[in-house]
């Protein structure tokens, strides 16, 4: 418990630093888009109109320290201001429109990659030197070495455009989000398959290779030899002893992968026009929309910290050495 509380304090401090940096960096760089907009209209608007425009865009002449504490208060209230590129929509509503779709696509792809890759790596190590071990990891690494944009476009062209097996874009068929029915869920899953498949395909190589290498190291440990000498079934030795220990490096990587869900799908969402946060981030950067960019960067940072804290907590239950070290 002490170890978990210590890690929680560290991540809370890291989150505070991230929020502070997220505030100061845009304000320390020269110029901002809202000031440019105000300057554009300054010759055709009177002082009262300019002040109203600055207020609408959230511009203020208050001291930087006062702005900082106002910013912190707004963060805790969930107020990230208004999007400059989609004005007057609040930033939170813009993010809310794509958050669920990014989470659905990213988490589905990450967990499928983790489960399938770890399983293939464990099987390759258990039968090391055989045909499966010689073929599977190199083929998966070869597929993952392709430029992702090219591979996604190729799969999109073959399976969506030429064969018509999957939809050519969006997250659902209708104009409005589908209802929560079997037909609606099936429609969403059909649109999800190709974007998720492309991410899984290019991600399997590292997951498989990392698990294989960890398993080979674990299989040489004395406690596995003892388990086999006791007459335990091979399947129990594999899953209850070898896989549980060898999974630890992949679980660490899983935390980073979950944290990068909202930033690592940009190309996927562009190719398949999937309405997630990666696509929203691309549009925000193109439009120099600082409030939206700040909110997205903060979400990405906090998601990485939260995922790593979750992994540290899981480690306590999977590895007694971590628990013992934290209590020492």
């Amino acid at each position: 418990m002490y170890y978990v509380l210590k890690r929680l304090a560290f991540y809370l401090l890291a989150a505070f630093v991230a929020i502070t940096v997220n505030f100061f960096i845009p304000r320390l760089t020269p110029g901002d888009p809202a000031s440019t907009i105000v300057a554009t209209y300054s010759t055709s608007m009177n002082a009262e109109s300019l002040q109203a425009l600055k207020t609408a865009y959230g511009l203020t002449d208050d001291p930087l320290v006062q702005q900082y504490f106002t910013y912190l208060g707004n963060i805790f209230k969930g107020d990230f201001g208004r999007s400059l590129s989609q004005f007057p929509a609040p930033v939170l509503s813009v993010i809310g429109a794509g958050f669920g779709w990014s989470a659905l696509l990213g988490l589905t792809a990450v967990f499928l990659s983790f489960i399938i890759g770890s399983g293939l790596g464990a099987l390759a190590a258990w039968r090391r030197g055989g045909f499966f071990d010689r073929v599977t990891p190199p083929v998966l690494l070869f597929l993952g070495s392709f430029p992702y944009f090219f591979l996604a476009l190729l799969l999109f062209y073959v399976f969506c455009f030429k064969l018509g097996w999957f939809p050519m874009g969006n997250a659902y068929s209708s104009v409005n989000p589908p209802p929560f029915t079997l037909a609606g869920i099936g429609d969403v899953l059909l649109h999800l398959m190709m974007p998720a498949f492309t991410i899984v395909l290019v991600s399997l190589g590292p997951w498989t290779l990392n698990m294989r290498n960890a398993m080979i190291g674990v299989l040489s440990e004395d406690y596995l030899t003892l388990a086999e000498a006791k007459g335990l079934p091979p399947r129990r030795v594999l899953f209850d002893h070898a896989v549980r220990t060898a999974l630890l490096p992949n679980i660490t990587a899983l935390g980073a992968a979950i944290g990068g869900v909202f930033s690592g799908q940009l190309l996927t969402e562009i190719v398949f026009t999937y309405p997630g946060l990666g696509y929203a981030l691309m549009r925000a950067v193109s439009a120099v929309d600082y409030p939206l960019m700040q909110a997205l960067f903060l979400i990405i940072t906090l998601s990485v910290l939260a995922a790593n804290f979750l992994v540290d907590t899981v480690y306590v239950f999977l590895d007694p050495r971590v628990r013992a070290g934290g209590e020492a």
Side-chain angles (χ1 to χ4, degrees):
M1 187 63 180
Y2 172 74
Y3 173 81
V4 174
L5 292 176
K6 185 169 65 173
R7 300 305 295 170
L8 176 61
F10 169 78
Y11 285 118
L12 288 176
L13 177 62
F16 175 75
V17 172
I19 291 172
T20 302
V21 171
N22 195 47
F23 169 81
F24 280 104
I25 285 183
R27 287 161 176 81
L28 294 178
T29 55
D32 67 83
S35 297
T36 303
I37 293 172
V38 171
T40 302
Y41 293 100
S42 61
T43 57
S44 59
M45 299 177 67
N46 55 34
E48 291 78 8
S49 299
L50 282 174
Q51 184 59 42
L53 185 63
K54 291 178 67 175
T55 302
Y57 278 106
L59 297 176
T60 176
D61 298 324
D62 294 337
L64 197 61
V65 175
Q66 184 177 342
Q67 294 183 41
Y68 173 66
F69 285 106
T70 302
Y71 171 78
L72 288 181
N74 290 336
I75 288 294
F76 285 111
K77 291 187 297 184
D79 182 8
F80 294 94
R82 297 189 180 275
S83 170
L84 302 181
S85 61
Q86 303 184 46
F87 186 82
V91 167
L92 205 58
S93 68
V94 176
I95 292 176
F99 183 88
W101 298 116
S102 280
L104 176 63
L105 172 60
L107 293 177
T108 299
V110 166
F111 281 110
L112 284 177
S113 301
F114 171 76
I115 294 171
I116 297 174
S118 297
L120 293 176
L123 184 59
W126 187 253
R127 300 183 177 179
R128 59 189 180 277
F131 177 79
F132 185 83
D133 181 36
R134 293 197 305 269
V135 172
T136 303
V139 169
L140 293 177
L141 287 173
F142 173 74
L143 291 175
S145 66
F146 273 96
Y148 177 75
F149 197 77
F150 168 78
L151 184 61
L153 282 175
L154 179 63
L155 294 174
F156 175 83
Y157 176 77
V158 173
F159 293 103
C160 299
F161 181 73
K162 293 296 290 184
L163 298 177
W165 291 356
F166 299 97
M168 294 185 63
N170 210 351
Y172 42 85
S173 300
S174 58
V175 177
N176 298 316
F180 192 72
T181 60
L182 287 178
I185 294 173
D187 183 50
V188 169
L189 292 178
L190 183 63
H191 284 77
L192 179 70
M193 284 184 183
M194 278 307 297
F197 175 72
T198 58
I199 298 175
V200 170
L201 187 63
V202 299
S203 304
L204 278 181
W207 290 110
T208 302
L209 187 63
N210 290 341
M211 185 64 180
R212 177 189 179 276
N213 293 340
M215 275 285 293
I216 288 177
V218 169
L219 289 175
S220 63
E221 296 290 339
D222 293 336
Y223 70 88
L224 286 185
T225 305
L226 177 61
E228 293 175 348
K230 287 182 176 180
L232 294 179
R235 178 173 296 181
R236 185 175 177 185
V237 174
L238 172 63
F239 290 103
D240 291 356
H241 298 278
V243 171
R244 180 177 178 178
T245 304
L247 265 179
L248 293 177
N250 263 11
I251 289 178
T252 303
L254 179 63
I258 293 175
V261 158
F262 300 115
S263 62
Q265 304 170 171
L266 177 61
L267 294 178
T268 305
E269 294 180 4
I270 291 175
V271 171
F272 295 95
T273 57
Y274 203 80
L277 294 185
Y279 194 68
L281 179 59
M282 187 270 295
R283 290 186 298 170
V285 172
S286 301
V288 201
D289 187 346
Y290 278 172
L292 183 55
M293 280 192 288
Q294 275 188 284
L296 289 171
F297 290 151
L298 188 60
I299 288 175
I300 292 169
T301 304
L302 294 181
S303 64
V304 171
L305 294 176
N308 280 278
F309 172 69
L310 179 62
V311 168
D312 286 346
T313 305
V314 172
Y315 252 81
V316 174
F317 299 98
L318 293 180
D319 193 346
R321 296 170 298 179
V322 175
R323 184 164 58 250
E327 295 172 351

